[in-house]
């Protein structure tokens, strides 16, 4: 018994040693050679001898999933199939995917195995009694199959044999990947070698051209002088392209004529400024369509001979239209290549930017001067008209006050009628509103014109706010609104300009009463937090749309469709508030959401003894 065990152990050891030798030999061959045909031919021969089977072959898939027998080792009398192209009728996408994922197909007995008849018939064609198929994967793609076959009888494939074939298929896959990569590298190298000389020259030229573009671009950034930039462009192009002449011409407004305004020549000749009529030269038809033009021209010489030269013309244009052209002259029959043409077109684009930029700057400077003049006239006008309006409005206000006293003292029956009183109140209110508008306008002009002088005082917040809010309570009650005041009991005093701050609070309360709907609430809050005092005026039932919030503090801006009482207004109140708050060294913020609008003024507390 021990002898049998020892003999079996020796066989296993010999098998393992032979397997390791075979794998090592194939791996070494793969490392030493890039000849795929030689590698797989020797592999199938060695595998067949090692497994002592009748046939071993490599089957390579074609793009249509038919296959070609590319390597085979077979013993007599079984026929060779190498070179045969075989289409397995039973091979489906499902089988292909399984093979790609590494599935191994083991058939010990073709006759007894549960196989599709089409596949069984295919195996019978080659006298196959037992079949072992392992996929060959290269770069995660199914390249082919490594197949071992027994033809004289069925055979139970041992797991060690299956594992060996799997390892060999992996080695073949590496060889395939290595060979294909080598072919790709060889192909790329051949292509690069063919192109390297021309490419090197082109790269050197491209570097020089890129440097020119950078210089031109930098000139545009550094200067707004059209003459300086375009003169430099003509010189740079002439020197870099080694041409005899480069010039720039610009069209008139109607594009009926083109005048040469900048020119570079190698012989340093100074040409006269010339103007050409566009209609007299056919080449302008293509140029006005924003297309470059190149042609060889024959010119006569004094000795009755002729000379050929090459001209390249590139239009200067942008999305707003065409401005002119760049002309280049080469005194020989040598065309400008694609890289040179692209360079000139890029330079032409930069010239268009420079021309537009310079002309825009000239116009903007003129506009700035005109706007400064108009702004001065506007300020003078506003000051004058405000003073002119204020004088009669003051008289009207005094007259209304006098009329009120007469009514109270004389008691005339007709004057005391309800209708007269109602008209009088409208008259009085209009006078007050107009007087307020004029005062606001005058204050706004005054603040725009110069820095106002602050007169700081110590303000006791509670007394100050209650005094301001009191006149608004009756107005809120008449409009069926609720006015609430909430002031922190221990709030610190504030040092600021009383008159200006009172005007700010009055304006915010006026707006709150103006825009708050019926049965809604106006809340005046004063609180202290983190060495800051916050005074807020909040009204409910109204929300300013987000797109209008950015414009709320602009001059003459009025919120559309949010005035339930139809009070109207000039749209300068909040602009004045913004300026006054800034003058008071404070900030104001607007928060409008969830049907509530809040204006909050924030003051830093000046601590004093």
């Amino acid at each position: 018994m021990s002898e049998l065990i020892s003999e079996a152990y020796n066989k296993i050891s010999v098998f393992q040693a032979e397997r390791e030798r075979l794998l090592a030999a194939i791996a070494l061959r793969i490392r030493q050679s890039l000849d795929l045909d030689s590698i797989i031919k020797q592999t199938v021969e060695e595998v067949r001898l090692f497994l002592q089977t009748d046939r071993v072959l490599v089957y390579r898939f074609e793009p249509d999933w038919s296959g070609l027998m590319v390597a085979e080792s077979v013993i007599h009398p079984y026929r060779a199939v190498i070179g045969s192209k075989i289409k397995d009728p039973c091979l489906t996408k499902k089988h292909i995917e399984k093979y790609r994922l590494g599935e191994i197909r083991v058939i010990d007995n073709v006759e007894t195995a549960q196989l599709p008849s089409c596949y069984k018939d295919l195996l019978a064609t080659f006298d196959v009694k037992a079949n072992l198929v392992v996929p060959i994967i290269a770069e995660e793609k199914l390249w082919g199959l490594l197949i071992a076959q027994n033809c004289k009888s069925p055979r139970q494939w041992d797991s060690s044999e299956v594992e060996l074939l799997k390892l060999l298929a992996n080695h073949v896959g590496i060889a395939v990947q290595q060979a294909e990569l080598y072919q790709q590298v060889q192909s790329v190298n051949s292509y690069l070698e063919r192109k390297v000389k021309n490419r090197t020259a082109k790269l050197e030229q491209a570097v020089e051209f890129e440097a020119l573009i950078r210089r031109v671009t930098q000139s545009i950034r550094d200067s707004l002088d059209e003459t300086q930039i375009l003169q430099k462009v003509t010189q740079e192009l002439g020197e870099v392209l080694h041409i005899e002449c480069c010039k720039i011409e610009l069209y008139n407004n109607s594009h009926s004529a083109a005048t040469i305004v900048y020119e570079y020549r190698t012989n340093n000749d100074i040409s006269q400024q010339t103007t050409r009529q566009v209609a007299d030269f056919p080449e302008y038809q293509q140029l006005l369509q924003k297309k470059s033009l190149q042609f060889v021209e024959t010119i006569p010489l004094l000795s009755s001979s002729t000379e050929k030269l090459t001209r390249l013309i590139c239009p200067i244009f942008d999305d707003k239209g065409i401005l002119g052209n760049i002309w280049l002259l080469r005194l020989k029959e040598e065309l400008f290549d694609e890289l040179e043409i692209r360079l000139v077109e890029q330079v032409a684009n930069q010239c268009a930017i420079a021309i537009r930029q310079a002309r825009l700057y000239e116009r903007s400077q003129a506009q700035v001067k005109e706007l400064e003049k108009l702004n001065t006239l506007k300020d003078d006008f506003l000051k004058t008209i405000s003073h002119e309006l204020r004088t009669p409005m003051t008289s009207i206000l005094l007259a209304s006050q006098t009329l009120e006293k007469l009514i109270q003292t004389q008691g005339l029956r007709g004057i005391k009628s309800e209708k007269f009183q109602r008209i009088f109140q409208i008259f009085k209110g209009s006078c007050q509103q107009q007087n307020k508008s004029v005062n606001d306008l005058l204050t706004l002009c005054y603040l725009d014109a110069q820095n106002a002088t602050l007169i700081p005082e110590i303000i006791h917040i509670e007394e100050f706010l209650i005094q301001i809010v009191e006149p608004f309570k009756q107005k809120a009650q008449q409009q069926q609104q609720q006015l609430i005041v909430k002031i922190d009991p221990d709030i610190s005093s504030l040092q600021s300009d009383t008159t200006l701050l009172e005007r700010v609070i009055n304006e915010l309360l006026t707006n709150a009463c103006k825009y708050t709907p019926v049965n809604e609430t106006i809340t005046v809050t004063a609180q202290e937090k983190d060495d800051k005092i916050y005074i807020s005026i909040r009204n409910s039932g109204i929300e300013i749309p987000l797109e209008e919030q950015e414009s709320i503090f602009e001059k003459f801006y009025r919120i559309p469709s949010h005035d339930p009482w139809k009070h109207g207004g000039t749209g300068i109140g909040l602009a004045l508030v913004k300026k006054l708050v800034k003058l008071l060294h404070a900030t104001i913020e607007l928060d409008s959401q969830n049907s509530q609008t809040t204006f909050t003024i924030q003051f830093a507390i000046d601590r004093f003894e």
Side-chain angles (χ1 to χ4, degrees):
M1 184 67 177
S2 60
E3 291 178 358
L4 292 174
I5 294 173
S6 177
E7 184 179 356
Y9 180 79
N10 289 335
K11 288 182 178 180
I12 293 172
S13 298
V14 171
F15 179 87
Q16 290 178 342
E18 283 297 309
R19 187 184 73 170
E20 295 301 320
R21 183 199 63 77
L22 177 61
L23 291 172
I26 292 173
L28 179 61
R29 194 176 301 122
I30 291 171
R31 287 196 296 270
Q32 292 178 341
S33 174
L34 292 170
D35 186 352
L36 180 62
D37 291 339
S38 174
I39 292 172
I40 60 177
K41 285 178 182 178
Q42 202 163 351
T43 298
V44 296
E45 183 67 24
E46 291 178 352
V47 171
R48 187 191 63 75
L49 291 172
F50 180 82
L51 295 179
Q52 292 297 301
T53 189
D54 302 322
R55 182 189 287 122
V56 174
L57 52 87
V58 172
Y59 177 81
R60 189 190 69 199
F61 285 110
E62 298 291 337
D64 63 351
W65 296 108
S66 63
L68 182 67
M69 300 299 184
V70 294
E72 181 187 37
S73 176
V74 62
I75 64 173
H76 185 77
Y78 306 107
R79 70 186 181 93
V81 296
I82 187 169
S84 302
K85 188 171 184 178
I86 299 171
K87 178 70 173 179
D88 185 351
C90 297
L91 188 68
T92 64
K93 290 184 179 180
K94 182 178 180 182
H95 295 105
I96 293 169
E97 182 62 17
K98 287 183 177 180
Y99 277 138
R100 193 186 68 80
L101 295 175
E103 181 178 86
I104 298 173
R105 197 165 192 180
V106 181
I107 303 173
D108 296 331
N109 190 329
V110 172
E111 291 296 328
T112 61
Q114 298 295 322
L115 300 175
S117 59
C118 57
Y119 188 61
K120 188 176 288 187
D121 293 342
L122 178 64
L123 293 176
T125 304
F126 302 105
D127 300 318
V128 179
K129 300 294 189 298
N131 202 43
L132 175 59
V133 182
V134 178
I136 299 172
I137 308 297
E139 293 185 334
E140 299 183 354
K141 296 179 181 179
L142 181 60
W143 182 86
L145 303 173
L146 178 59
I147 305 171
Q149 297 176 338
N150 233 41
C151 298
K152 58 179 173 289
S153 64
R155 172 174 178 166
Q156 185 174 1
W157 302 99
D158 188 76
S159 61
S160 61
E161 295 173 333
V162 175
E163 184 64 22
L164 171 64
L165 214 63
K166 181 180 178 181
L167 293 173
L168 289 171
N170 290 340
H171 280 65
V172 173
I174 294 171
V176 169
Q177 183 175 344
Q178 181 176 286
E180 290 181 348
L181 181 61
Y182 176 73
Q183 290 177 356
Q184 293 173 4
V185 171
Q186 287 295 96
S187 177
V188 171
N189 284 340
S190 297
Y191 174 80
L192 291 177
E193 287 174 359
R194 290 194 305 268
K195 297 292 184 179
V196 66
K197 292 183 180 180
N198 291 335
R199 185 60 176 167
T200 300
K202 291 294 183 183
L203 285 174
E204 291 175 351
Q205 189 182 46
V207 169
E208 189 177 12
F209 289 179
E210 185 179 352
L212 171 59
I213 293 296
R214 284 199 301 269
R215 293 195 297 272
V216 172
T217 304
Q218 190 62 43
S219 297
I220 293 173
R221 293 176 179 171
D222 294 342
S223 174
L224 291 169
D225 187 339
E226 177 182 328
T227 302
Q228 178 184 352
I229 295 171
L230 297 186
Q231 283 179 343
K232 184 173 184 179
V233 165
T234 56
Q235 181 177 349
E236 292 273 8
L237 276 176
E239 293 174 350
V240 169
L241 295 179
H242 307 291
I243 57 177
E244 286 70 19
C245 178
C246 177
K247 53 189 177 183
I248 293 178
E249 65 178 7
L250 298 179
Y251 292 110
N252 59 5
N253 292 335
S254 61
H255 297 98
S256 60
T259 302
I260 296 174
V261 290
Y262 310 105
E263 186 170 9
Y264 163 82
R265 288 179 178 269
T266 54
N267 56 15
N268 295 322
D269 287 346
I270 301 176
S271 62
Q272 298 294 326
Q273 188 180 61
T274 58
T275 299
R276 303 207 302 177
Q277 297 302 312
V278 170
D280 297 338
F281 297 89
E283 58 262 33
Y284 284 104
Q285 295 180 7
Q286 181 171 331
L287 296 173
L288 287 171
Q289 294 176 8
K290 303 178 181 179
K291 296 179 181 179
S292 298
L293 176 64
Q294 180 175 202
F295 57 91
V296 176
E297 182 181 7
T298 302
I299 58 173
L301 299 178
L302 295 176
S303 58
S304 300
S305 62
T306 59
E307 182 180 13
K308 291 185 177 180
L309 53 83
T310 304
R311 295 188 187 275
L312 173 65
I313 318 169
C314 293
I316 301 171
F317 67 94
D318 57 13
D319 56 350
K320 296 180 181 178
I322 187 164
L323 300 166
N325 304 296
I326 299 179
W327 288 69
L328 297 97
L329 173 65
R330 183 168 279 166
L331 292 179
K332 50 187 173 180
E333 190 178 354
E334 180 181 339
L335 294 178
F336 293 86
D337 62 30
E338 182 179 353
L339 194 60
E340 292 174 325
I341 296 173
R342 189 160 63 246
L343 167 70
V344 180
E345 289 176 343
Q346 289 177 333
V347 171
N349 291 338
Q350 295 297 321
C351 288
I353 294 172
I355 294 170
R356 293 291 189 192
Q357 184 174 281
R359 294 178 181 180
L360 179 62
Y361 177 74
E362 290 178 0
R363 288 197 298 269
S364 65
Q365 288 297 101
Q367 289 175 353
V368 167
K369 292 179 180 178
E370 185 65 23
L371 287 173
E372 289 176 351
K373 181 179 178 181
L374 291 174
N375 193 53
T376 301
L377 291 174
K378 181 264 298 181
D379 290 340
D380 292 339
F381 167 77
L382 288 176
K383 292 175 184 177
T384 302
I385 197 66
S386 297
H387 284 290
E388 291 296 324
L389 287 172
R390 189 171 187 178
T391 300
M393 290 310 303
T394 302
S395 300
I396 293 173
L397 185 60
L398 289 173
S400 66
Q401 293 172 351
T402 304
L403 182 58
E404 185 178 17
K405 289 180 180 179
L406 288 173
I407 295 171
Q408 291 174 352
T409 55
Q410 296 181 9
L412 298 177
R413 183 178 300 175
I415 295 176
K416 289 184 178 180
S417 67
E418 183 179 348
K419 181 177 181 180
F420 182 85
Q421 292 295 327
R422 186 167 62 252
I423 294 172
F424 172 76
Q425 290 300 325
I426 293 173
F427 173 69
K428 180 181 178 181
S430 297
C431 291
Q432 292 173 341
Q433 181 63 34
Q434 289 296 326
N435 196 55
K436 178 185 178 302
S437 297
V438 172
N439 283 333
D440 287 346
L441 188 58
L442 280 170
T443 304
L444 198 60
C445 293
Y446 177 73
L447 293 176
D448 282 339
Q450 58 186 357
N451 294 324
T453 303
L454 294 179
I455 305 175
E457 301 178 48
I458 296 175
I459 301 174
H460 301 288
I461 301 295
E462 184 173 5
E463 298 176 6
F464 176 74
L465 287 180
I466 290 175
Q467 184 178 0
I468 295 175
V469 169
E470 188 63 32
F472 288 92
K473 288 185 176 180
Q474 182 179 359
K475 184 175 183 180
Q477 186 177 2
Q478 292 173 350
Q479 297 182 166
Q480 302 177 43
Q481 301 161 339
Q482 185 177 7
L483 180 56
I484 301 173
V485 180
K486 296 180 180 179
I487 302 174
D488 285 355
D490 299 324
I491 193 168
S492 300
S493 296
L494 178 67
Q495 190 169 11
S496 188
D497 189 299
T498 306
T499 303
L500 297 183
L501 181 57
E502 180 179 355
R503 192 160 187 178
V504 169
I505 302 298
N506 270 317
E507 185 63 41
L508 294 175
L509 280 171
T510 300
N511 280 346
C513 290
K514 181 188 296 186
Y515 296 117
T516 301
V518 174
N519 298 324
E520 295 294 341
T521 303
I522 301 169
T523 306
V524 180
T525 305
Q527 57 182 344
E528 181 178 343
K529 184 179 180 181
D530 300 330
D531 288 335
K532 290 182 175 60
I533 291 178
Y534 300 87
I535 300 176
S536 300
I537 290 87
R538 175 186 297 113
N539 53 325
S540 62
I542 184 70
E543 184 175 333
I544 302 173
L546 185 62
E547 62 272 14
E548 295 180 8
Q549 292 182 23
E550 297 180 358
S551 306
I552 196 79
F553 291 106
E554 293 179 3
K555 294 178 184 177
F556 310 115
Y557 181 82
R558 291 182 292 178
I559 302 175
S561 306
H562 284 295
D563 187 355
W565 310 108
K566 306 301 179 185
H567 290 298
T570 60
I572 62 174
L574 288 178
L576 182 59
V577 165
K578 183 79 172 181
K579 286 184 175 292
L580 291 175
V581 167
K582 183 178 180 181
L583 188 61
L584 292 170
H585 306 296
T587 60
I588 184 167
E589 293 182 357
L590 167 64
D591 180 27
S592 187
Q593 57 184 333
N594 301 324
S595 295
Q596 285 192 339
T597 296
T598 306
F599 288 90
T600 302
I601 309 169
Q602 175 183 310
F603 297 88
I605 300 176
D606 292 329
R607 297 297 181 183
F608 52 88
E609 300 298 334

